[in-house]
Amino acid sequence: KLLLSRICLEESQLPVLFSKLQFADVPKVEVAESKDDHFSFEQAFLLRILSEILNERHKDVTVSKDVALFVFGIFKNSIGVLEHATRGKSGLPSGFVGVDVLGYSLTILRDICAQDGVRGNTEDSNDVVDALLSYGLIELLLYLLEALEPPAIIRKGLKQCENQDGASCSFKPCPYKGFRRDIVALIGNCVYRRKHAQDEIRHRNGILLLLQQCVTDEDNPFLREWGIWSVRNMLEGNDENQKVVAELEIQGSADVPEITSLGLRVEVDQRTRRAKLVNIP
């Protein structure tokens, strides 16, 4: 890990090593037929180790702008796996190369964007995060978050448009347990004390979407905690975002089986527009 940390992160040689590992486990005959968005087991393993390094030594390892943008490029090239992914039954590693590349590049970006908060908002770390933001990181994350099927607790209240699997036919499932949580965590780290990033969430109509992540979800451990952290960062020092949240009103309630089984239902008070629990007659 120390060797890879020095080579890939501190000396910014990740692009060179990563490209050398492409199709390392695929016969040469098949390489020509493979698409650019295919990755090798060795590449996924390398990202896994780098993710562990950043998670364990985030205070000691400085990631350059070039490396951060390269990882972002890997992440963008790997999201194609969502087109044919099924709902993940485990966290990372998932056992699928494409999903692991997607997940580990996401967690690396999450920890890169968390570094300035740990180090006191240093100028270098700000440059890295701002560079990622300038290349459309927030836009892509909101797009992915909106494309995912709702959290389990919300899915149960939405009875329309469901197939036999329980997955919405118009939404994509989380390819591993924690994918939604990692997206929300990365958004939360990006908007931490960055007003221009907070404003972008509002301009892209992402405030309500982010508020919807503050729920428990069996497919995404600690989603609620990361959701609350992200909303807190989105609102801190931003009067415009706070105003949008303050003006939100309850429009109605969903039929949640867990509540119904207790002999209760949710109703909205027409006068106060607040939700309340009432007994089912």
Side-chain angles (χ1 to χ4, degrees):
K1 284 185 177 180
L2 287 173
L3 183 60
L4 286 175
S5 176
R6 176 64 64 85
I7 293 173
C8 296
L9 301 177
E10 296 176 33
E11 296 183 1
S12 302
Q13 295 301 312
L14 175 60
V16 176
L17 180 56
F18 192 82
S19 63
K20 292 291 185 182
L21 294 176
Q22 188 172 27
F23 305 120
D25 58 345
V26 179
K28 289 184 179 180
V29 180
E30 299 180 18
V31 171
E33 301 175 359
S34 300
K35 296 180 180 180
D36 292 338
D37 60 352
H38 286 185
F39 300 93
S40 69
F41 169 83
E42 286 77 8
Q43 288 177 317
F45 183 77
L46 174 61
L47 293 178
R48 174 182 176 179
I49 298 301
L50 295 180
S51 178
E52 291 177 1
I53 291 171
L54 281 174
N55 190 256
E56 296 166 0
R57 302 179 56 231
H58 58 274
K59 294 182 180 179
D60 307 317
V61 179
T62 300
V63 179
S64 70
K65 186 188 303 183
D66 290 340
V67 169
L69 291 175
F70 180 74
V71 174
F72 183 41
I74 295 174
F75 178 65
K76 288 193 294 184
N77 289 332
S78 65
I79 60 177
V81 73
L82 294 175
E83 294 301 324
H84 47 79
T86 57
R87 190 178 304 159
K89 298 181 179 180
S90 69
L92 296 172
S94 67
F96 299 95
V97 170
V99 172
D100 287 349
V101 170
L102 175 73
Y104 287 123
S105 59
L106 176 59
T107 56
I108 289 173
L109 291 171
R110 178 199 65 195
D111 291 338
I112 288 175
C113 292
Q115 286 186 332
D116 66 323
V118 173
R119 296 174 183 166
N121 233 358
T122 62
E123 184 176 343
D124 289 343
S125 56
N126 259 333
D127 286 344
V128 172
V129 179
D130 284 340
L132 289 168
L133 294 176
S134 68
Y135 276 80
L137 178 58
I138 290 288
E139 180 182 6
L140 179 59
L141 294 175
L142 291 177
Y143 164 77
L144 291 175
L145 200 56
E146 193 169 18
L148 290 178
E149 61 184 8
I153 193 171
I154 297 178
R155 286 203 308 271
K156 291 174 182 177
L158 300 175
K159 296 183 177 180
Q160 66 273 22
C161 196
E162 291 186 346
N163 58 26
Q164 296 178 350
D165 231 8
S168 171
C169 60
S170 60
F171 294 108
K172 297 176 174 57
C174 287
Y176 67 88
K177 285 186 178 292
F179 180 60
R180 175 190 298 276
R181 173 204 62 212
D182 292 339
I183 292 177
V184 173
L186 176 51
I187 292 175
N189 290 341
C190 286
V191 299
Y192 180 70
R193 295 182 178 176
R194 292 186 187 85
K195 191 173 185 303
H196 60 289
Q198 298 170 344
D199 291 340
E200 184 174 358
I201 297 289
R202 184 180 71 256
H203 294 152
R204 297 191 181 281
N205 300 316
I207 290 181
L208 183 58
L209 180 63
L210 211 53
L211 288 171
Q212 291 171 343
Q213 313 309 313
C214 300
V215 296
T216 56
D217 183 14
E218 58 193 33
D219 294 327
N220 289 273
F222 302 107
L223 173 65
R224 179 176 179 273
E225 289 76 9
W226 277 110
I228 293 173
W229 158 256
S230 299
V231 169
R232 177 258 182 211
N233 291 347
M234 175 185 67
L235 299 178
E236 184 185 24
N238 195 306
D239 294 337
E240 296 91 342
N241 285 1
Q242 293 175 19
K243 182 180 179 183
V244 171
V245 174
E247 292 175 350
L248 290 174
E249 289 185 357
I250 297 177
Q251 301 299 317
S253 61
D255 179 21
V256 181
E258 286 80 358
I259 295 179
T260 305
S261 65
L262 297 175
L264 302 169
R265 71 165 178 258
V266 179
E267 287 187 355
V268 179
D269 189 300
Q270 297 301 316
R271 183 177 60 84
T272 64
R273 303 305 300 169
R274 293 181 180 275
K276 61 181 180 181
L277 283 174
V278 299
N279 292 316
I280 297 176

